[in-house]
Amino acid sequence: MERLETRLPGLVLLAPDVHGDERGFFVETFRADAWSAQGVPTVFLQDNHSRSRRGTLRGIHFQTHPGQGKLVRVARGRVLDVVVDLRRGSPTFGEWEGFELDDEHGHQLWIPIGFGHGFCVLSETADFVYKCTAYYDAATEAGIRFDDPEVGIAWPDDVELLYSERDRAAPPLSAVAGSLPFRFA
């Protein structure tokens, strides 16, 4: 497995070995000792799986208390995966970074507590799977606008974006910045 470079401190982008031939492929999607050696926690409490059609945009979401780290990957299809640094005091606070994740390369992204997360489906269908370090709690679920001009995420312009009313109505980062519980360590 190879650890790939990221711009925002704290993120870990992994490129597991994909073994394939004319029959298909095999890839280890999680192995505690190898992932731990790359700086990814190995205690996860919940696994999630979503299926979405082309253009679906989900995000930018996060949990506030106690927070929720995520190890994300695409089991089928291709997405633009986006994270926003929400850690107060971080030199990259409010900045975003995007990664194309797909089922061919098997890249995985570790997103620690303190980042907002979202993705946009680039293929006809995508199965997005992720491991979480804390249970989902609707009472601590939060988000920021996916199209906040101050954050400036460059979503794909060659797909029609499909999003929920909840995501469209999320506040801009500036409206919640002072109340975010995350601090840069």
Side-chain angles (χ1 to χ4, degrees):
M1 174 171 37
E2 181 182 0
R3 183 173 175 161
L4 305 174
E5 188 173 327
T6 63
R7 189 178 55 77
L8 299 179
L11 300 177
V12 177
L13 183 62
L14 299 175
D17 293 328
V18 179
H19 308 280
D21 60 25
E22 66 279 354
R23 299 168 299 157
F25 71 89
F26 172 84
V27 63
E28 285 185 341
T29 61
F30 182 73
R31 181 180 165 133
D33 61 346
W35 271 245
S36 179
Q38 296 296 335
V40 175
T42 58
V43 177
F44 294 102
L45 302 180
Q46 181 174 326
D47 280 9
N48 297 321
H49 181 154
S50 72
R51 176 171 293 154
S52 304
R53 67 183 181 132
R54 181 175 173 80
T56 297
L57 191 151
R58 299 185 187 274
I60 300 294
H61 304 146
F62 55 94
Q63 298 272 140
T64 55
H65 300 289
Q68 189 181 60
K70 296 176 183 175
L71 179 63
V72 305
R73 67 183 180 89
V74 172
R76 175 172 69 167
R78 185 169 56 99
V79 307
L80 173 63
D81 197 71
V82 173
V83 294
V84 178
D85 189 345
L86 301 176
R87 301 168 299 173
R88 293 191 300 167
S90 169
T92 56
F93 179 82
E95 293 183 23
W96 69 277
E97 188 168 7
F99 306 91
E100 193 169 296
L101 302 179
D102 62 37
D103 58 5
E104 183 179 342
H105 297 97
H107 292 175
Q108 297 182 17
L109 181 63
W110 163 245
I111 307 164
I113 293 170
F115 287 86
H117 175 255
F119 65 89
C120 178
V121 177
L122 304 174
S123 54
E124 288 308 309
T125 303
D127 283 359
F128 191 83
V129 295
Y130 53 106
K131 300 175 130 357
C132 303
T133 60
Y135 297 116
Y136 169 78
D137 179 1
T140 67
E141 181 180 35
I144 61 169
R145 290 275 302 240
F146 63 86
D147 60 351
D148 182 343
E150 290 183 32
V151 177
I153 298 170
W155 296 108
D157 56 7
D158 62 340
V159 296
E160 180 181 348
L161 299 181
L162 307 169
Y163 43 81
S164 69
E165 184 52 39
R166 183 190 79 177
D167 287 348
R168 169 54 80 190
L173 177 56
S174 61
V176 299
S179 64
L180 291 170
F182 315 119
R183 294 244 179 239
F184 183 71

